[in-house]
Structures are given as structure tokens and as C-alpha cells.
Amino acid sequence: MPPSADPPLNTPHVLVIDDDARLRELLRRYLAGNGFVVTVAADAAEARASLKSFSFDVMVLDRMMPGEDGLSLARALRRENPMPILML
């Protein structure tokens, strides 16, 4: 889910990737409530699509997801993007 309004230019943009909808929403609400712009993705494919459309400052990534797991996604992204990744 992309951000709903245009935030100030210096607001950090976080990509949260987790297959657990409840945890994903909890993280989105907490981070947004603390001043971050948040985009969420339910899996690696959705995350890759968001990465093509937006620029992120940090990623919060679930390690164990169905399909492509978080470690595989992190390894692939690390080849082209030095963005910090927080693994869950």
C-alpha cells in the first residue's frame, strides 16, 4: 500500500515486507504514527514492484515468508541497493 499523501521531502520512507497481515498493519501504524512514510508488501514480488516505483530509506523484512524468503530477497537486493535492512 503506497503512502496516501505527499510527505515533506526529508521524511524517511520505510518498506515493510511481511506475509502476516496483522503484523504488517501493526508495523505500518506504529511507524506512520512516529513520522515515517510507510509502504507495505505482503511478499517478495510485491516488494520488488514497490522498489521499482518508490525510493526507500530503510526496509523492515520478514525472514520467513512463503515463496521467496526474506534472506533470498535481501541477498538479491544487496547486489544493487545499499539500503539498510532490518530483519524480523
Side-chain angles (χ1 to χ4, degrees):
M1 175 169 48
S4 59
D6 291 333
L9 292 176
N10 59 350
T11 303
H13 193 172
V14 180
L15 175 59
V16 174
I17 309 160
D18 198 306
D19 61 313
D20 182 328
R22 199 178 95 220
L23 181 56
R24 194 172 57 241
E25 177 60 14
L26 179 68
L27 287 166
R28 186 200 63 74
R29 281 189 288 136
Y30 178 80
L31 291 167
N34 283 281
F36 294 90
V37 175
V38 182
T39 298
V40 297
D43 58 27
E46 207 174 310
R48 288 178 190 282
S50 290
L51 286 161
K52 289 179 182 176
S53 300
F54 299 102
S55 176
F56 297 97
D57 297 295
V58 65
M59 178 187 307
V60 178
L61 177 59
D62 183 13
R63 185 181 179 281
M64 298 178 63
M65 297 185 295
E68 184 178 7
D69 66 34
L71 288 176
S72 297
L73 178 60
R75 279 189 203 104
L77 294 176
R78 188 55 69 219
R79 291 184 207 125
E80 57 197 54
N81 190 331
M83 170 184 18
I85 300 173
L86 174 66
M87 300 293 291
L88 294 179

